[in-house]
């Protein structure tokens, strides 16, 4: 049956059954105004209730043989999804075995009627002020830029060197009348970058994708991003979907940070979104970091990224491995640093004690409610790490003893111990539970967990990293990589001329860090992965569901050349199981296609959450290394 004009519509739904385009006839009165990227209202379902969807394509004919339903109305005349963003969602869905509809939720926030009707664009921005002499951008469009940790020297706005490097690149992109997306791990980085760019008189160019924004604010920034004037988009993962029409560059800071991996659907990593978008828009893509992840090192090795190093600055890093948690080196560096300013001490965990064990038989104490491991919080209350339940009277399950022994000191107890050694010095504890963001460059000892360090306005005069051996022994494939990355980010807060020390590293690693030979270290870690046949030498997938549903998926995957099934294992505390497999990059399209088909197989068992809601039978994650 022929139709005058056909619009193919997608719905922002994660349901695999809706993962396709639905054809609708375009009424004659809408034919001249309908465009891809618009939000429309259409009838849907047997009862003909209407729902909103996005026009993805407009075609002359439809392959559907029956009578098409007609579009009811165009909800907004604005094109809310640009062609580049539509293609980004399409390519990501195909590459990562995702539903196209669930990506639309990331690509476009909910439409706010009042904002949409009243929006007339932002007023003209001021001229670009040349704050200082900027170096030229690299000739290459695909770059890995390594920045030496530390505060920038001779800066009118004291901050970490990596932030000034981002400001320099943004300035150059704006000069070429183009826009730039800066993707950082979390809200703290967004706030620091916003603060610096405003000080450097780039505030009028900012469009901040703040995670705490209201729905109206989210839609407002989306409309602003659609404007053609140059701007700087800063934010975390979702900023990479900003609908810019003049995108000149994408900057991704600290790609190895676990915050770049989405923990909920669609389970994407910022790196993958940035790489796919760059291929579509052919803009610059710059990965910036203090320490390269093995993924970035692999992309350098195959020639996809050009490795560059920012202006080097001499590092003064000492290390020790004599077995004491706070040894003479740590005390000496702290004492020297307190003569001129604040000292940062990074620890591995918050609370008073990282663990609780039996005082008689030494066995790790378990929660009386769920059997999870116990620790002691800042108020010295014994809490379960799994269910957060308070355990008032701990009894050993093996010998029935009520005697307990505290494990390694956390941030709270470490601070108390420093209070005895430095009685007249101000003590500050900073963890994810505290709100302190900035502090004056006055003598003080700040004990902090990684990522929660307050910013000293002039940089810390000394930095000491404790619990290094604990970070390195974590039960993860990338334990060393993550440890060095965290330490590097802490060292970026060091004032020019300041001293630092890492306590508890073996001599080989300590020597690499003291000489700041981090590129060689990254290369060694990648080589180990290649020899083991683990990511990023290969790609990784995990599928979660019932064992009955996973078995046919396993059999289908085994038929693809290069796929290696690591196994199907039961998930502790759940009736579900998890299948894990690796596969070569060359098989990516075939594996993703198979998994998308498997997700909508009619024979799949129904799954329910603890609240009783229906869940997808299979949860598929691609390239999530946390499962190893």
């Amino acid at each position: 049956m022929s139709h005058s004009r056909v619009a193919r519509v997608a719905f922002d739904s994660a349901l695999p059954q809706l993962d396709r385009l639905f054809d609708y006839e375009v009424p004659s009165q809408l034919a001249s105004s309908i465009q891809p990227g618009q939000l429309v209202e259409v009838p849907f379902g047997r009862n003909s209730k209407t729902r909103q969807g996005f026009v993805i394509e407009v075609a002359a004919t439809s392959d559907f043989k029956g009578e098409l339903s007609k579009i009811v109305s165009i909800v907004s005349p604005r094109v809310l999804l640009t062609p580049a963003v539509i293609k980004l969602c399409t390519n990501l869905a195909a590459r990562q075995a995702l539903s196209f509809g669930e990506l639309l939720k990331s690509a476009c926030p909910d439409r706010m009627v009042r904002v949409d009707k009243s929006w007339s664009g932002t007023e003209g921005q001021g001229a670009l002020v040349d704050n200082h002499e900027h170096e030229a951008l690299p000739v290459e469009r695909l770059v890995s830029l390594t920045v030496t940790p530390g505060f920038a020297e001779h800066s009118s706005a004291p901050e970490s060197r990596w932030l000034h490097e981002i400001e320099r690149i943004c300035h150059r992109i704006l000069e070429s009348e183009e826009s730039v997306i800066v993707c950082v791990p979390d809200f703290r980085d967004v706030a620091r970058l916003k603060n610096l760019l405003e000080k450097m008189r780039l505030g009028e160019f900012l469009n901040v994708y703040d995670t705490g924004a209201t729905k109206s604010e989210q839609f407002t920034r989306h409309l602003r991003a659609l404007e053609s004037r140059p701007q700087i988009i800063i934010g975390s993962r979702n900023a990479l979907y900003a609908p810019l029409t003049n995108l000149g560059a994408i900057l991704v800071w600290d790609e190895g940070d676990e915050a770049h991996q989405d923990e909920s659907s669609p389970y994407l990593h910022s790196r993958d979104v940035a790489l796919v978008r760059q291929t579509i828009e052919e803009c610059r893509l710059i990965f910036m970091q203090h320490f390269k992840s093995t993924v970035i090192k692999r992309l350098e090795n195959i020639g996809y990224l050009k490795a560059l190093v920012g202006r080097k600055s001499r590092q003064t890093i000492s290390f020790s491995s004599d077995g004491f948690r706070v040894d003479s080196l740590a005390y000496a560096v702290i004492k020297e640093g307190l003569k001129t300013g604040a000292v940062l001490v990074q620890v591995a965990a918050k609370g008073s004690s990282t663990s609780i064990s039996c005082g008689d038989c030494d066995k790790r104490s378990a929660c009386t409610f769920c059997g999870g491991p116990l620790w002691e919080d800042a108020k010295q209350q014994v809490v379960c790490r799994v269910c957060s339940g308070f355990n008032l009277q701990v009894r050993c399950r093996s010998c029935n003893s009520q005697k307990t022994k505290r494990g390694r000191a956390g941030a709270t107890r470490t601070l108390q111990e420093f209070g005895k050694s430095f009685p007249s010095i101000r003590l500050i504890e900073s963890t994810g539970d505290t709100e302190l963001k900035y502090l004056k460059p006055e003598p003080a000892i700040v004990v902090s967990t990684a990522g929660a360090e307050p910013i000293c306005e002039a940089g810390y005069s000394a930095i000491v990293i404790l619990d290094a051996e604990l970070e390195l022994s974590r039960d993860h494939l990338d334990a060393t990589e993550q440890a060095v990355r965290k330490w590097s980010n802490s060292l970026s807060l060091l004032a020019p001329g300041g001293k630092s020390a890492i306590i508890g590293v073996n001599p080989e690693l300590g020597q690499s860090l003291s000489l700041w030979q981090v590129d060689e270290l990254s290369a060694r870690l990648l080589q180990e992965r290649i020899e083991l046949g683990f990511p990023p030498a290969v790609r990784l997938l995990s599928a979660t569901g019932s064992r009955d549903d996973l078995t046919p998926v396993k059999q289908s995957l085994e038929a693809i050349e290069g796929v290696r099934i690591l196994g199907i294992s039961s998930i502790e505390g759940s009736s579900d199981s998890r299948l894990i497999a690796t596969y070569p990059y060359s098989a990516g399209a075939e594996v993703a296609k198979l998994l998308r088909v498997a997700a909508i197989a009619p024979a799949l068992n129904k799954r329910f959450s603890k609240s009783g809601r229906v869940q997808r039978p299979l949860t598929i994650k691609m390239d999530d290394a946390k499962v190893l």
Side-chain angles (χ1 to χ4, degrees):
M1 184 178 291
S2 62
H3 305 283
S4 56
R5 210 167 183 209
V6 174
R8 297 198 170 104
V9 176
F11 301 106
D12 60 347
S13 170
L15 289 174
Q17 294 82 356
L18 298 183
D19 187 22
R20 64 184 182 87
L21 301 182
F22 294 83
D23 287 2
Y24 287 89
E25 183 179 346
V26 180
S28 56
Q29 67 270 23
L30 300 179
S32 61
S33 54
I34 196 83
Q35 297 179 71
Q38 287 179 324
L39 193 62
V40 294
E41 190 167 354
V42 295
F44 189 82
R46 294 179 181 176
N47 54 12
S48 293
K49 282 188 176 181
T50 60
R51 68 179 294 171
Q52 294 182 359
F54 287 98
V55 177
I56 304 302
E57 300 172 13
V58 177
T61 59
S62 171
D63 295 332
F64 184 68
K65 303 303 180 184
E67 185 175 350
L68 293 180
S69 299
K70 292 184 178 181
I71 290 176
V72 176
S73 65
I74 297 175
V75 177
S76 173
R78 302 181 193 278
V79 174
L80 297 175
L81 291 177
T82 63
V85 172
I86 290 174
K87 193 171 183 180
L88 173 65
C89 294
T90 303
N91 291 4
L92 283 172
R95 184 184 190 275
Q96 302 294 117
L98 296 167
S99 163
F100 179 80
E102 65 187 315
L103 288 169
L104 291 179
K105 291 180 178 292
S106 300
C108 185
D110 293 338
R111 174 180 176 260
M112 296 289 105
V113 178
R114 184 178 297 178
V115 174
D116 194 13
K117 290 184 175 179
S118 63
W119 180 260
S120 58
T122 52
E123 296 179 4
Q125 61 201 16
L128 185 63
V129 179
D130 195 356
N131 299 298
H132 46 74
E133 194 69 30
H134 288 93
E135 297 176 12
L137 291 173
V139 175
E140 298 82 6
R141 301 188 73 80
L142 291 158
V143 169
S144 163
L145 177 61
T146 301
V147 182
T148 308
F151 254 52
E153 300 180 36
H154 312 300
S155 171
S156 57
E159 249 295 5
S160 293
R161 194 173 287 114
W162 68 270
L163 286 160
H164 281 282
E165 199 70 33
I166 289 177
E167 182 272 327
R168 177 183 72 82
I169 296 171
C170 287
H171 203 284
R172 280 299 190 206
I173 298 297
L174 292 175
E175 284 179 339
S176 63
E177 295 292 314
E178 293 177 308
S179 293
V180 56
I181 295 174
V182 183
C183 178
V184 295
D186 64 24
F187 68 94
R188 296 180 184 87
D189 298 314
V190 172
R192 289 178 68 189
L193 182 56
K194 176 177 180 289
N195 187 41
L196 176 65
L197 293 177
E198 286 175 342
K199 286 181 179 178
M200 302 302 283
R201 293 190 278 184
L202 293 177
E204 291 185 54
F205 296 89
L206 289 180
N207 187 354
V208 182
Y209 274 48
D210 185 0
T211 53
T214 64
K215 286 193 173 184
S216 292
E217 290 168 341
Q218 290 174 27
F219 192 64
T220 298
R221 71 194 185 194
H222 184 83
L223 294 181
R224 184 178 178 188
L226 285 164
E227 296 180 351
S228 59
R229 65 197 190 112
Q231 54 192 288
I232 305 171
I233 304 284
I234 58 175
S236 51
R237 296 181 302 268
N238 261 24
L240 292 167
Y241 297 92
L244 296 166
T245 55
N246 57 350
L247 182 60
I250 299 172
L251 275 66
V252 180
W253 167 250
D254 198 17
E255 164 274 343
D257 193 309
E258 293 179 341
H260 278 298
Q261 176 74 53
D262 200 339
E263 291 296 317
S264 57
S265 176
Y267 310 109
L268 283 170
H269 195 288
S270 302
R271 174 193 60 247
D272 297 317
V273 181
L275 285 167
V276 172
R277 184 158 190 181
Q278 191 281 329
T279 62
I280 294 168
E281 306 212 33
E282 298 184 348
C283 59
R284 292 179 179 275
L285 174 57
I286 303 173
F287 290 101
M288 295 176 60
Q289 61 278 317
H290 294 130
F291 176 69
K292 297 170 191 172
S293 71
T294 51
V295 176
I296 295 300
K297 188 61 184 174
R298 173 188 166 272
L299 291 175
E300 288 181 4
N301 285 358
I302 64 174
Y304 193 83
L305 294 177
K306 172 68 175 179
L308 297 177
V309 179
R311 285 170 288 185
K312 289 189 177 181
S313 179
R314 186 172 178 273
Q315 293 290 302
T316 309
I317 303 175
S318 305
F319 70 94
S320 66
S321 53
D322 59 11
F324 292 100
R325 181 171 182 262
V326 186
D327 60 11
S328 57
L329 173 62
Y331 277 111
V333 172
I334 292 171
K335 189 175 181 180
E336 183 68 23
L338 289 173
K339 293 179 181 178
T340 55
V343 175
L344 173 67
V345 179
Q346 186 193 94
V347 297
K350 64 180 182 179
S352 182
S353 298
T354 58
S355 64
I356 300 293
S357 57
C358 177
D360 286 332
C361 70
D362 264 354
K363 185 172 182 180
R364 183 79 182 259
S365 298
C367 176
T368 55
F369 306 107
C370 72
L374 301 177
W375 67 292
E376 195 175 57
D377 66 13
K379 297 179 181 178
Q380 296 185 340
Q381 301 171 121
V382 179
V383 186
C384 175
R385 289 196 180 276
V386 177
C387 70
S388 299
F390 290 105
N391 286 248
L392 301 178
Q393 292 181 323
V394 182
R395 186 181 293 275
C396 180
R397 294 189 174 186
S398 295
C399 67
N400 212 34
S401 171
Q402 285 189 292
K403 292 181 181 179
T404 57
K405 184 169 63 177
R406 303 160 95 189
R408 181 185 290 266
T412 304
R413 201 162 96 226
T414 303
L415 198 71
Q416 292 169 351
E417 291 168 357
F418 281 136
K420 297 173 184 177
S421 303
F422 302 94
S424 60
I425 297 298
R426 182 187 176 198
L427 303 174
I428 300 169
E429 182 178 356
S430 182
T431 65
D433 300 329
T434 55
E435 295 294 324
L436 182 64
K437 295 179 181 178
Y438 292 92
L439 89 154
K440 298 289 183 183
E442 301 166 349
I445 296 176
V446 180
V447 177
S448 173
T449 51
E453 304 92 346
I455 312 304
C456 183
E457 292 178 359
Y460 287 96
S461 57
I463 294 177
V464 174
I465 295 168
L466 303 180
D467 305 325
E469 75 282 8
L470 184 62
E471 290 284 4
L472 293 168
S473 63
R474 293 192 188 279
D475 190 20
H476 286 288
L477 181 67
D478 62 351
T480 300
E481 187 178 314
Q482 287 299 326
V484 177
R485 187 193 63 76
K486 291 175 184 177
W487 302 339
S488 302
N489 289 346
S490 291
L491 294 171
S492 74
L493 303 175
L494 188 65
K499 294 184 177 180
S500 58
I502 302 177
I503 312 301
V505 293
N506 62 64
E508 183 184 6
L509 179 57
Q511 189 73 11
S512 295
L513 294 173
S514 66
L515 299 174
W516 206 243
Q517 296 174 334
V518 289
D519 190 63
E520 294 84 343
L521 175 58
S522 182
R524 287 203 304 271
L525 293 174
L526 175 60
Q527 186 57 38
E528 289 174 6
R529 305 279 189 89
I530 293 172
E531 292 171 359
L532 292 170
F534 281 150
V538 291
R539 293 186 66 187
L540 178 77
L541 73 89
S542 69
T544 304
S546 71
R547 190 172 287 269
D548 289 342
D549 288 339
L550 292 175
T551 301
V553 176
K554 173 179 175 289
Q555 293 168 349
S556 299
L557 286 170
E558 286 172 334
I560 300 176
E561 186 177 354
V563 172
R564 179 165 67 118
I565 306 294
L566 301 184
I568 299 178
S569 58
S570 300
I571 299 176
E572 189 175 348
S574 171
S575 59
D576 289 334
S577 297
R578 178 182 291 127
L579 179 152
I580 301 176
T582 62
Y583 57 99
Y585 287 84
S586 58
E590 189 177 359
V591 169
K593 185 177 180 181
L594 183 153
L595 292 173
R596 291 183 79 180
V597 172
I600 57 173
L604 294 175
N605 294 299
K606 284 189 176 181
R607 291 172 68 214
F608 298 92
S609 65
K610 291 181 180 179
S611 61
R613 290 185 178 181
V614 177
Q615 291 183 316
R616 281 180 286 184
L618 290 178
T619 299
I620 297 166
K621 297 182 183 181
M622 309 285 270
D623 305 306
D624 182 9
K626 291 181 183 178
V627 298
L628 289 180

